Amino acid sequence: MKVTGRNKCGIAAWLVFGASTILAVEPLAPYGPVPSARQLAWQKMEFVGFVHFTVNTFTGREWGYGDENEKVFAPTDFSADQIVRAARAGGMKELILTCKHHDGFCLWPSAYTEHSVKNSGWENGQGDVVKAMADACKKYGIKFGVYLSPWDRNRADYGTPAYVDYYHHQLRELLTHYGPISEVWFDGANGGDGYYGGARETRKIDPETYYQWPVTYQLVRELQPDACMFGGGDIRWVGNEHGIAGDPCWNTINTLDFSPSSKERLALLNHGDRTGTNWIPAECDVSIRPGWFYHANEDSKVKTPAQLLKLYYDSVGRGATLLLNLPPDQRGQIDADDVKSLAVFHKILDDTFKTDLARAAKITASNTRGDDKKYAPKNVVSGKNSSYWATDDNVTNAGLVLTFKKPVTFNVVRLREFLPLGQRVEAFALDQWRDGQWVEFASGTSIGNCRLVHSEKVTTDKVRLRITHAPVCPAISEVGLFWEKS
Ligand code: FUL
């Protein structure tokens, strides 16, 4: 086979196979930074969970001081199965456990400290919450992630190089003893005061240099190459703990450090940076209750299914990932109200997204790349993220029309870009055919992994997607139309 020429648009090449000549369409060039395979897999999960559980569950605190007696940790009926089942029933694809929070208490019997479950009395000191959770996640087909607080208010050596070695040893334990780890969460909180082995003082470290991040990251890459690091170059914090992504929300940003929060930095994390040189998608962390840990006095403040739904639209629906915290109670289980709210929320999502009305449409495009079936408009309803509709390189303002035999009624539109080619679209609009003309019913900016448009109730037999701004030709892998009853 040999390439003998290009057409004017630079999109096609004449390929000569023996005696016959056919027109082969040139693949799209990626635009800007693109995701790694591990980031792509992580982004496709969309909805994941946090489990905050430690001595705080029993002391009523949010940040343990580090002087808690290990015996305080005394779950009366711990059940990893119950926790994981609740998460799975809620639609979560991964659970991240606070293996060690700021108090330094370890939920596994670490060989490097006495401040752990082994001295708790729970299961006669033989228990291992990390193992139980990792096993239950495996059993129920959910991925497992670990949170290991860099800040440790228990350790006498916190602030010295010896503590950083200790931290690395612990990370190694977590990354080698519990099977595949899909996410490692590096919390940026470094509050200052603590027990510190009895010193009871305030210690300040430089969060950028003290923890030897390059060494820490390398350890994760070496031991769990498929794990994504939150706060470590794979995933960025969204800049708030309310679970809300910015609009727009770009996957790109310039590599961030742990520098102190400023308003500008928080906004940058929230929106990303369209011109950023790194692909670091946002994760939106939020708790189902006001606190991260369980407190009985917050039993009446569990987020309702409607509140969870709003969070979903404001995070997943803006192309980010939602990380929702479920705090086990003093039994070591998720409270019935939390389980119920999560399950009802998930049922609403299931009911909404199980029927994609767009599948019944005939789909045409203002332009299809090289008129090649590989880039056909109908790829947007294939239900597969592996195919997409694309245009010729010189066509950046393009449209797709979905035509129905019978009018359809919807109030949610789901759009997706083909992420391996980068984030391409900067603005889009949606029109309905009404009274013999196109009428715009929604418009937006970034799409990325997923853009959910919650619209008014639309009944029509023709819908049009217009890409109104893109620096390069679009690559759209989904246009879905749904009806949400709630
Ligand atoms: C914060 C911590 O200080 C909170 O306690 C919680 O773990 C949250 C997810 O991250 O930075």
Side-chain angles (χ1 to χ4, degrees):
M1 180 184 93
K2 89 177 174 182
V3 178
T4 60
R6 276 165 193 275
N7 75 1
K8 274 193 202 135
C9 303
I11 56 136
W14 295 100
L15 302 180
V16 181
F17 291 91
S20 56
T21 303
I22 56 156
L23 187 67
V25 179
E26 251 188 35
L28 283 73
Y31 177 73
V34 295
S36 64
R38 75 170 82 82
Q39 286 175 314
L40 257 187
W42 178 84
Q43 287 191 268
K44 291 296 164 202
M45 292 194 291
E46 297 184 348
F47 180 37
V48 299
F50 233 158
V51 175
H52 273 67
F53 190 39
T54 188
V55 288
N56 296 342
T57 311
F58 304 90
T59 60
R61 288 193 184 141
E62 274 292 306
W63 280 7
Y65 194 63
D67 61 352
E68 296 79 8
N69 186 308
E70 292 80 31
K71 297 276 183 287
V72 158
F73 184 79
T76 53
D77 193 12
F78 172 69
S79 170
D81 273 31
Q82 191 269 356
I83 297 168
V84 177
R85 276 202 305 265
R88 195 181 64 163
M92 292 172 173
K93 302 286 191 299
E94 173 197 75
L95 272 185
I96 302 167
L97 176 69
T98 53
C99 301
K100 180 189 85 166
H101 203 249
H102 309 326
D103 49 74
F105 181 80
C106 299
L107 293 183
W108 80 104
S110 171
Y112 299 94
T113 180
E114 292 305 304
H115 197 48
S116 84
V117 282
K118 73 183 171 203
N119 289 318
S120 69
W122 169 68
E123 293 196 345
N124 295 322
Q126 301 301 304
D128 184 339
V129 179
V130 180
K131 179 160 181 3
M133 290 294 293
D135 289 351
C137 283
K138 191 167 170 211
K139 175 169 161 192
Y140 292 106
I142 285 187
K143 292 186 181 176
F144 182 58
V146 295
Y147 167 115
L148 184 69
S149 171
W151 182 30
D152 191 319
R153 305 172 93 187
N154 172 260
R155 295 287 298 183
D157 57 2
Y158 183 79
T160 71
Y163 170 75
V164 181
D165 287 347
Y166 169 77
Y167 186 76
H168 289 160
H169 283 311
Q170 292 205 313
L171 196 54
R172 190 174 276 278
E173 286 184 321
L174 291 176
L175 300 181
T176 50
H177 296 173
Y178 299 102
I181 302 294
S182 57
E183 184 167 344
V184 181
W185 228 82
F186 295 120
D187 197 323
N190 279 287
D193 67 323
Y195 171 67
Y196 302 128
R200 297 188 186 277
E201 61 190 15
T202 296
R203 291 186 184 172
K204 287 213 161 55
I205 49 96
D206 177 351
E208 276 176 59
T209 55
Y210 174 59
Y211 298 109
Q212 295 180 27
W213 290 119
V215 177
T216 312
Y217 299 160
Q218 187 46 40
L219 199 63
V220 178
R221 289 286 188 254
E222 183 194 314
L223 301 173
Q224 294 279 346
D226 295 334
C228 274
M229 289 182 262
F230 172 97
D234 295 313
I235 306 168
R236 73 175 196 262
W237 182 43
V238 79
N240 64 65
E241 291 187 336
H242 311 301
I244 299 175
D247 187 3
C249 184
W250 307 109
N251 287 294
T252 46
I253 198 158
N254 294 321
T255 310
L256 289 156
D257 51 34
F258 286 104
S259 53
S261 306
S262 66
K263 231 173 152 192
E264 294 72 34
R265 180 171 173 265
L266 294 180
L268 193 62
L269 289 165
N270 198 232
H271 289 283
D273 176 356
R274 181 57 175 147
T275 61
T277 52
N278 300 84
W279 182 278
I280 310 182
E283 182 170 58
C284 307
D285 58 324
V286 60
S287 185
I288 197 164
R289 288 161 171 254
W292 290 102
F293 290 91
Y294 175 85
H295 309 294
N297 61 6
E298 292 180 351
D299 281 352
S300 61
K301 294 183 181 145
V302 175
K303 290 190 175 58
T304 63
Q307 286 173 310
L308 295 177
L309 197 62
K310 168 122 183 37
L311 284 176
Y312 185 86
Y313 278 93
D314 290 348
S315 54
V316 176
R318 292 177 180 169
T321 294
L322 176 58
L323 171 56
L324 180 69
N325 178 57
L326 304 174
D329 58 18
Q330 294 190 353
R331 291 172 306 162
Q333 298 192 23
I334 307 299
D335 209 54
D337 289 343
D338 309 45
V339 174
K340 187 163 176 223
S341 186
L342 185 64
V344 173
F345 151 75
H346 186 226
K347 178 150 181 7
I348 297 170
L349 284 189
D350 261 3
D351 289 348
T352 303
F353 292 109
K354 75 177 173 224
T355 311
D356 180 1
L357 301 163
R359 303 275 169 101
K362 181 173 170 283
I363 309 181
T364 52
S366 61
N367 175 281
T368 296
R369 188 175 188 82
D371 282 327
D372 188 338
K373 269 207 223 126
K374 188 175 174 209
Y375 304 108
K378 71 171 191 326
N379 290 344
V380 302
V381 291
S382 70
K384 294 184 205 128
N385 285 324
S386 53
S387 65
Y388 52 94
W389 161 64
T391 61
D392 291 333
D393 281 343
N394 58 344
V395 180
T396 55
N397 285 42
L400 269 186
V401 175
L402 285 72
T403 308
F404 296 89
K405 286 199 179 120
K406 282 190 277 176
V408 288
T409 299
F410 61 89
N411 55 8
V412 178
V413 182
R414 186 166 67 195
L415 305 174
R416 293 184 192 276
E417 285 186 89
F418 183 69
L419 292 191
L421 292 171
Q423 189 154 14
R424 307 170 77 91
V425 175
E426 292 185 352
F428 67 89
L430 290 158
D431 309 319
Q432 60 172 310
W433 187 253
R434 199 165 71 192
D435 304 328
Q437 59 179 334
W438 286 115
V439 179
E440 184 177 306
F441 66 89
S443 63
T445 52
S446 54
I447 298 178
N449 180 56
C450 174
R451 164 65 79 161
L452 295 175
V453 177
H454 219 169
S455 72
E456 65 197 44
K457 173 177 171 182
V458 175
T459 301
T460 184
D461 59 1
K462 267 205 271 188
V463 176
R464 183 167 69 174
L465 165 69
R466 273 179 295 129
I467 304 302
T468 52
H469 204 258
V472 283
C473 67
I476 305 292
S477 62
E478 182 177 339
V479 178
L481 303 177
F482 307 92
W483 174 246
E484 187 199 289
K485 281 195 208 82
S486 70

